[in-house]
Amino acid sequence: MRPHWRGTLLYPASLVALFLGLQGLLGLMGVPASQQASLAALPSVAALLISLPWRLQRAWGEPQAWKRLGLRCSWGELIKALSRGVLLAAALLLVIVVALLLGGAQSELRLTPALVLNAVVLGLGVGFAEELLFRGWLFGELSLLLGHRRALYLQAVIFSLVHTRFHLPGLELLLLLGGLALFGVLLAEQRDGDRGVLWGAVGLHGGAVGGWFLLSQGVLNLQSAGPNWLLSPANPIGGVAGWIALMVLLLTLKRS
């Protein structure tokens, strides 16, 4: 069974509309802007979890949604894939931290239990929700429409466009677009390497997001770091050093 392009576009658009609408409603209720996104994310993720089995049954003809999306597997497969993803995230961050320290960043340990907890919650939340949406549903749906290899690259482009801040100067914008696309390819290759199990991509994505939050907020002083085009302290995969780290990991995955 093959989905229709119209549904492929409307399904995520409806989730985004829900998320933005909830933020607007929270704003009208007087909730501070800094808290609106996190509060709106909870019901939006719940809507994703509730609607995905229906979407897969209706558009893919797939009755076992969670297995097809890569979430349902044995405990052994889950632990192996998740651990592999977290280790790859640690390797990515290690290369970036070394580059930042060589570029002039300073170590400044200011970790707190609350900061560590925030990093864990952020990593788990972002890693799970975004991988379920992008490498789970979107990658699978595009594969049915276009074939596996073209879908792998298109989902990475969409992932990049959704996450890029378009107010950046030209070179920084192009580097961030490319870095995010490379990260999207890496996450898809991670899932392929885990034979469709999604937890490795969750570990890699969540480990990178949560780990960078912890490093940037509690370990590194980035004020004296090198130029943005080289190191991109705001989002390290948007600099040349981040590109190099991502390409090394991609080559490692392809050879493993």
Side-chain angles (χ1 to χ4, degrees):
M1 190 170 181
R2 187 177 179 181
H4 192 280
W5 274 107
R6 182 174 59 185
T8 305
L9 295 172
L10 290 178
Y11 176 64
S14 64
L15 293 171
V16 171
L18 173 64
F19 177 66
L20 295 177
L22 287 170
Q23 285 193 77
L25 181 61
L26 290 168
L28 292 175
M29 294 169 62
V31 176
S34 60
Q35 299 176 20
Q36 291 172 16
S38 57
L39 290 174
L42 295 175
S44 300
V45 172
L48 174 67
L49 292 173
I50 293 169
S51 62
L52 267 176
W54 170 84
R55 175 65 190 173
L56 264 68
Q57 175 68 54
R58 181 181 176 86
W60 300 15
E62 176 57 70
Q64 300 185 55
W66 303 123
K67 184 175 182 180
R68 180 72 174 271
L69 291 167
L71 291 181
R72 182 180 294 171
C73 58
S74 70
W75 280 106
E77 291 175 316
L78 189 156
I79 293 170
K80 181 180 178 181
L82 188 64
S83 301
R84 187 167 174 244
V86 171
L87 286 174
L88 279 176
L92 173 64
L93 291 174
L94 178 61
V95 174
I96 288 170
V97 167
V98 170
L100 285 167
L101 291 173
L102 291 175
Q106 303 294 318
S107 58
E108 187 178 287
L109 193 63
R110 50 191 188 279
L111 292 175
T112 65
L115 192 66
V116 174
L117 179 61
N118 283 342
V120 172
V121 172
L122 177 66
L124 287 174
V126 171
F128 177 79
E130 293 204 355
E131 287 314 298
L132 182 58
L133 181 61
F134 286 99
R135 258 61 60 181
W137 169 75
L138 181 62
F139 188 14
E141 187 135 334
L142 291 177
S143 294
L144 292 173
L145 289 165
L146 300 171
H148 184 82
R149 184 51 49 179
R150 283 186 288 182
L152 189 150
Y153 293 115
L154 181 55
Q155 63 80 28
V157 170
I158 295 171
F159 177 74
S160 174
L161 292 172
V162 167
H163 287 83
T164 295
R165 299 185 298 275
F166 287 93
H167 66 278
L168 293 172
L171 179 59
E172 292 179 34
L173 174 61
L174 290 175
L175 286 170
L176 183 57
L177 281 167
L180 286 165
L182 279 173
F183 192 43
V185 171
L186 179 65
L187 289 163
E189 293 284 4
Q190 172 74 42
R191 185 182 177 190
D192 278 354
D194 291 327
R195 298 181 180 179
V197 174
L198 192 63
W199 293 106
V202 172
L204 172 54
H205 193 160
V209 170
W212 178 246
F213 173 82
L214 195 64
L215 289 168
S216 62
Q217 300 297 315
V219 178
L220 297 173
N221 183 342
L222 301 171
Q223 293 181 354
S224 56
N228 287 344
W229 65 267
L230 179 62
L231 299 172
S232 186
N235 190 334
I237 63 173
V240 172
W243 277 47
I244 293 171
L246 288 168
M247 287 189 283
V248 169
L249 290 183
L250 269 171
L251 290 173
T252 301
L253 276 182
K254 286 182 174 294
R255 292 179 179 179
S256 62

